[in-house]
Amino acid sequence: MLDTTLKNQLKTIFEGLEATYTFDVIVAPQHESRQELLEILNDVSECSDKISCKLTEGDGLAFTLLKNEEKTGIKFRGVPNGHEFTSLLLAIMNLDGKGKNFPDATTCNRVKALKGPIHLTTYVSLTCTNCPDVIQALNTMTTLNDQITHEMVDGAINQAEVEALNIQGVPSVFADGKLIHVGRGEFGELLSKLENQYGSNEDTIDTTEKYYDVIVVGGGPAGAAAAIYSARKGLNVAIVAERVGGQVKETVGIENLISVPETTGSLLAENIRTHIQRYPIDLLEHRRIEKVEIEKNQKILSTATGEKFIAPAVIIATGASWRKLNVAGEAEYTGRGVAFCPHCDGPFYKGKQVAVIGGGNSGIEAAIDLAGICSKVTVLEFLEELKADQVLQEKVKSLSNVEVFTNSQTLGIIGNGEKVTGIQVKDRETEESRVITLDGIFVQIGLVPNSGAFREVVDTNRPGEIVIDAHCRTNIPGIYAAGDVSSVPYKQIIIAMGEGAKAALSAFEDRTRGVLD
């Protein structure tokens, strides 16, 4: 199953393994995925004399990962193919202490302090680009805390289980049978949810105040550019972010980053991380700034866990998040018929009827993708006409199972208590309302700036963007903003990068002129 080139790469990756690892497989003789699972695990085990495969006949299809013949708490109920192949490799490397995706010491200590036992189960789709981040985060937590167990479940080969649990979105994370998370999730977000549910054994947070010349809040294209430009000026720089890459990680294909004809969001995010790590930048991930204070020229940034970061210059590059409808039923049915990622959750609606809310590029692209899966797609656009590029409009009009309605306002989402059954919309021209019967709703209405923590400190406009001048300066000396969180027109990766660089140069200029003293 694995080609020669990949096997050679795995041999190199596994060269330094110190412990022995066993894929402890239990699979039914007639399971349709049996051969596929055994082939991939045997191929991996052939790449190192430290890895072996043990087979036991049984029911279903699953394997657990053993280290030195002891259970590790990591289990896969499915074939670790596609995006989840990396999750399998990282699990081995992390268990051997050689993984490169461990968080910083403070975050690791928070994981170790979680009260157990905690039994986690995550349902995934192998086509989901968001699932690996969640699987890898929870596997890492399992490695750090022996009171945690985690199993990945491929929804495609465990359909009866998925239907019984009314799962309509992935990844879906259950903690001891309770659904705690659906959709894209970061290490810090998942950790916070576990802390809230299970509590911690002790206070492990280092509350020592940390001082820097420049603090960049956000790890996307704008934040990375700001940090790199600041570090190149010889300044002491920290990035405080929920994740490196930001919204970029949710972009499947990128073809307009000049000099890079084609890439993916995940690859670009990894390249951003690599570039950051070439400089003496403190990368503090899995953190969200919740409080901002100013004392003389110093800006004090605090997280929910009590960490404090202090600097005379702060560059806000927190980007934006998916905008929600904020109508009745949306929160209740998120993950049970309301979705935000057609690539991840589209397969759950094969042969079913869905609606796409939004007629911009993202909405029409979603409708085109879903038309190949669903029996019918209804596009609902609030404005009088679609906002998508003409080429996309022409494509969607050519699809017989796509119907487009403009001047349509979503009033509410209807369900039966378990899942979505319809959507109530109003024709803004006639004022008439109606209910469209359907199985799923994909919200694609753009982004909202992540400026919440800073709105009481700096000026923002009506949409919540931080107002900046041509130099990325806000109304507060020493605070700058760049990228999608700011009022700069056109939210594009290449623009965010340029704005991040500009903000860093403005901060350095203010420093040399004594503005920050």
Side-chain angles (χ1 to χ4, degrees), residues 221-222 248 251 254 256-257 268 484 491-498:
V248 160
T251 304
I254 300 170
N256 58 356
L257 185 59
L268 179 57
D484 289 6
K491 312 304 185 185
Q492 298 289 310
I493 294 171
I494 195 167
I495 291 175
M497 289 179 172

Side-chain angles (χ1 to χ4, degrees), residues 132-147:
D133 287 341
V134 171
I135 295 297
Q136 291 162 24
L138 297 180
N139 280 347
T140 299
M141 293 185 199
T142 303
T143 301
L144 291 168
N145 187 328
D146 60 11
Q147 290 292 299

